[in-house]
């Protein structure tokens, strides 16, 4: 093994101890969050310091088509230079041989970060915080469904069969018996996570049939986004071993809750290590309120990033554990912005808007960008909400087209995320939305064919 193995994290080193590395998967995240890249023999990887992929992977829609995102130069498909970040090296324990995955960063031929690479977008936002002397800390929560195999898109998605031989039941939030139903899958998730060096803070049963939630420990935004990116693949592979699918769709099953990626935020002063949301006496600071205001004021314009598909908007319905507005409150799960119970050191703000279908790099980047605008512009939030927020009217876009219109006009967010990223993202998502509008649904055929 070559010298590059000296840079591996401890978990990867332990995984390979006494074994011969066969293959390295060189991967990056595209706009939807799909792992793209190349699998190369370990001996070849040891001889290369970078590899190439065409930048067209960032112009591609979820269906495999392209919008007009290439710009004035046309569809040239320039090569990007992809360089490994060895700190991300992680086992792929579901493979038949000894394989590592390594996340790469994308650069252009001048050595500049490719602006529409999701990981680069998040790094850009984090750097803006660092330039102000702030260190953003996040903790994502991942919700997903384990469902029966679905090979016919015309058929509805059904809950998986549990260990007892019965389909997974809904309305069993926090039930340990329900968690036990998925025991073999969860055991593999734990085993894979341990091999990959990931620390799971807990797994719980959520309110949907076959719906689970995994909480991750708080930390650096890029590192946590890497983990969510890896976890999606890890969970899918664990599910496939037990004849079920894991889905991260925002709303996979009718009349069931949707799946969110709640994001907890706090900000550390890099000079003194203190949480800027808490003052010397433990009280809430102006920065705490500015951050909340940034989420309230700018999330509507960024919703197209946190809710990236038509299906995403089916999650925002009353009384189904998803917010319909951007009210904020303490320890109130009906609001879009929640302040959990905590001591002063752990004071944080939870964004409950993001869907689990969003790209983790982009979802976290967008959330931090909104908070950054609130902090730097010293915005003030609305008054704290009291009561059931579902009784009020919604104040977030309910249709993908409206969300895209707001995003296209959000020049302040574009400057934070990067104007070129905003241009490419808007074009790709508009192409997906227009393609969806060409599809006639079963509901339309059932109710309109003979009645209108």
């Amino acid at each position: 093994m070559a010298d590059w193995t000296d840079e591996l994290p401890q978990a990867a080193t332990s995984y390979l101890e006494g074994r011969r590395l066969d293959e390295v998967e060189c991967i990056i995240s595209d706009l939807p969050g799909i792992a793209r890249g190349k699998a190369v023999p370990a001996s070849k990887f040891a001889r290369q310091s970078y590899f190439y992929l065409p930048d067209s992977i960032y112009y591609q829609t979820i269906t495999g088509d392209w919008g007009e995102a290439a710009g004035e130069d046309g569809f040239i498909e320039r090569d990007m230079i992809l360089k490994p970040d060895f700190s991300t090296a992680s086992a792929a324990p579901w493979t038949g041989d000894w394989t590592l995955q390594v996340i790469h960063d994308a650069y252009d031929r001048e050595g500049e970060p490719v602006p529409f690479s999701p990981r680069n977008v998040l790094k850009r936002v984090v750097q803006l915080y660092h330039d102000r002397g702030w260190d953003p800390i996040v903790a994502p929560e991942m919700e997903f469904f384990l469902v029966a195999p679905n090979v016919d898109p015309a058929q509805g998605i059904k809950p998986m069969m549990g260990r007892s031989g019965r389909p997974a039941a809904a309305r069993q939030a926090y039930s340990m018996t329900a968690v036990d139903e998925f025991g073999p899958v969860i055991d593999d998730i734990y085993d894979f996570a341990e091999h990959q060096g990931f620390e799971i803070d807990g797994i719980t049963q959520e309110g949907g049939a076959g719906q689970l939630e995994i909480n991750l420990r708080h930390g650096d935004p890029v590192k946590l986004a890497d983990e969510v990116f890896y976890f999606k693949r890890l969970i899918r592979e664990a599910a496939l071993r037990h004849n079920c699918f894991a889905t991260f769709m925002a709303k996979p099953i009718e009349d069931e809750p949707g799946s969110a990626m709640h994001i907890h935020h706090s900000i550390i002063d890099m000079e003194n290590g203190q949480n800027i949301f808490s003052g010397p006496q433990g009280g809430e600071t102006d920065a705490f309120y500015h951050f909340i205001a940034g989420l309230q004021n700018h999330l509507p314009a960024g919703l197209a990033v946190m809710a990236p598909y038509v299906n995403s908007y089916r999650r925002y319905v009353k009384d189904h554990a998803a917010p319909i507005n951007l009210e904020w409150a303490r320890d109130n799960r009906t609001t879009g912005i929640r302040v959990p119970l905590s001591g002063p050191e752990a004071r944080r703000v939870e964004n409950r808007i993001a869907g689990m279908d969003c790209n983790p790099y982009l979802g976290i980047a967008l959330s931090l960008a909104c908070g950054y605008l609130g902090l730097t512009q010293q915005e003030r939030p609305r008054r704290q909400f009291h009561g059931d927020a579902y009784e009020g009217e919604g104040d977030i876009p309910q249709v993908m087209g409206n969300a895209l219109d707001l995003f296209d006009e959000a020049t302040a967010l574009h400057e934070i995320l990067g104007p070129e990223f905003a241009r490419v993202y808007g074009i790709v998502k508009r192409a997906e939305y227009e393609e969806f509008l060409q599809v006639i649904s079963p509901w339309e055929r059932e109710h309109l064919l003979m009645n209108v």
Side-chain angles (χ1 to χ4, degrees):
M1 294 174 69
D3 293 339
W4 67 272
T5 58
D6 295 336
E7 302 180 53
L8 295 180
Q10 180 60 46
T13 302
S14 298
Y15 178 71
L16 293 176
E17 188 173 357
R19 303 181 178 108
R20 177 180 177 274
L21 177 64
D22 293 303
E23 189 173 73
V24 178
E25 296 179 344
C26 308
I27 58 176
I28 59 172
S29 164
D30 67 1
L31 288 187
I34 299 168
R36 307 280 184 183
K38 296 181 179 180
V40 299
S43 57
K44 179 180 178 181
F45 183 81
R47 297 192 302 270
Q48 69 179 35
S49 57
Y50 58 86
F51 76 101
Y52 298 106
L53 277 185
D55 62 5
S56 59
I57 67 170
Y58 293 119
Y59 308 151
Q60 199 168 8
T61 68
I62 194 68
T63 63
D65 291 326
W66 280 270
E68 299 300 323
E72 296 178 357
D73 294 335
F75 201 70
I76 296 175
E77 287 197 283
R78 291 183 175 87
D79 271 340
M80 303 179 295
I81 300 169
L82 277 78
K83 299 180 180 180
D85 180 346
F86 289 112
S87 71
T88 70
S90 175
W94 49 83
T95 58
D97 51 17
W98 299 103
T99 300
L100 289 181
Q101 309 167 85
V102 181
I103 295 172
H104 286 54
D105 284 314
Y107 300 87
D108 62 22
R109 288 173 290 184
E110 284 71 46
E112 295 298 319
V114 172
F116 32 78
S117 162
R119 196 169 193 253
N120 288 343
V121 173
L122 178 55
K123 284 187 170 185
R124 174 190 174 100
V125 175
V126 170
Q127 187 60 51
L128 290 175
Y129 275 84
H130 288 172
D131 291 344
R132 296 269 181 166
W134 300 327
D135 192 16
I137 303 298
V138 302
E141 301 173 356
M142 301 183 296
E143 296 178 347
F144 60 96
F145 279 84
L146 297 175
V147 300
N150 182 286
V151 296
D152 181 0
Q155 299 298 315
I157 296 173
K158 300 182 184 301
M160 70 166 285
M161 198 69 68
R163 189 180 56 150
S164 65
R166 302 174 64 189
R171 317 295 184 261
Q172 299 296 323
Y174 305 107
S175 165
M176 296 309 300
T177 301
V179 169
D180 290 342
E181 283 286 279
F182 319 120
V185 181
I186 292 174
D187 287 345
D188 276 349
I189 290 174
Y190 275 126
D191 288 345
F192 289 166
E194 182 177 357
H195 284 308
Q196 294 187 252
F198 303 149
E199 187 172 356
I200 295 175
D201 209 32
I203 295 182
T204 58
Q205 164 74 24
E206 281 293 317
Q211 187 182 33
L212 297 173
E213 177 181 283
I214 292 179
N215 298 329
L216 302 181
R217 287 186 58 82
H218 60 276
D220 173 76
V222 177
K223 181 177 183 295
L224 268 297
D226 288 340
E227 289 192 14
V228 176
F229 174 59
Y230 273 143
F231 255 108
K232 283 190 170 183
R233 187 179 185 194
L234 176 165
I235 294 167
R236 286 194 181 100
E237 291 291 342
L240 287 172
R241 282 193 167 193
H242 301 278
N243 193 36
C244 64
F245 288 178
T247 180
F248 302 94
M249 283 178 66
K251 186 78 166 182
I253 304 176
E254 296 177 15
D255 300 321
E256 295 286 355
S259 290
M261 186 181 74
H262 299 154
I263 308 169
H264 295 249
H265 313 73
S266 58
I267 313 295
I268 302 301
D269 185 317
M270 296 172 68
E271 186 173 331
N272 60 28
Q274 300 300 307
N275 184 346
I276 71 169
F277 291 165
S278 297
Q281 306 303 317
E284 294 159 346
T285 62
D286 286 343
F288 169 77
Y289 293 106
H290 295 329
F291 192 93
I292 290 172
L295 296 181
Q296 286 188 324
N297 294 337
H298 301 287
L299 276 178
L303 190 65
V305 176
M306 291 193 160
Y309 307 105
V310 173
N311 177 263
S312 308
Y313 297 81
R314 302 187 189 279
R315 177 175 152 256
Y316 303 119
V317 293
K318 291 185 178 184
D319 302 317
H320 267 68
I324 62 170
N325 57 51
L326 291 168
E327 301 291 354
W328 78 275
R330 294 175 177 84
D331 196 28
N332 184 337
R333 286 179 169 82
T334 69
T335 58
I337 302 167
R338 171 177 171 257
V339 179
L341 297 176
S342 71
E345 295 84 3
R347 181 168 285 122
R348 59 197 186 275
V349 177
E350 179 188 11
N351 174 356
R352 297 177 61 81
I353 294 292
M356 196 61 232
D357 55 344
C358 77
N359 181 308
Y361 299 104
L362 299 181
I364 293 172
L366 190 282
S367 197
L368 287 172
C370 293
Y372 180 85
L373 286 171
L375 287 166
T376 56
Q377 298 178 13
Q378 298 188 352
E379 297 172 352
R380 301 300 302 179
R382 302 196 290 266
R383 296 182 65 179
Q384 180 185 182
F385 184 85
H386 296 278
D388 185 350
Y390 290 131
E391 294 178 354
E393 296 298 320
D395 59 5
I396 59 175
Q398 294 294 303
V399 178
M400 181 74 182
N402 293 345
L404 286 170
D405 291 341
L406 290 177
F407 180 74
D408 288 344
E409 298 166 1
T411 54
L413 275 178
H414 295 178
E415 288 302 314
I416 305 298
L417 301 171
E420 183 63 4
F421 160 75
R423 182 189 71 82
V424 169
Y425 187 85
I427 291 172
V428 170
K429 290 301 166 181
R430 186 76 64 177
E432 290 177 354
Y433 181 59
E434 291 176 354
E435 184 174 352
F436 171 82
L437 292 178
Q438 303 302 313
V439 177
I440 309 302
S441 70
W443 185 95
E444 292 167 276
R445 289 191 289 270
E446 178 179 352
H447 297 290
L448 304 181
L449 181 65
M450 300 297 290
N451 293 328
V452 300

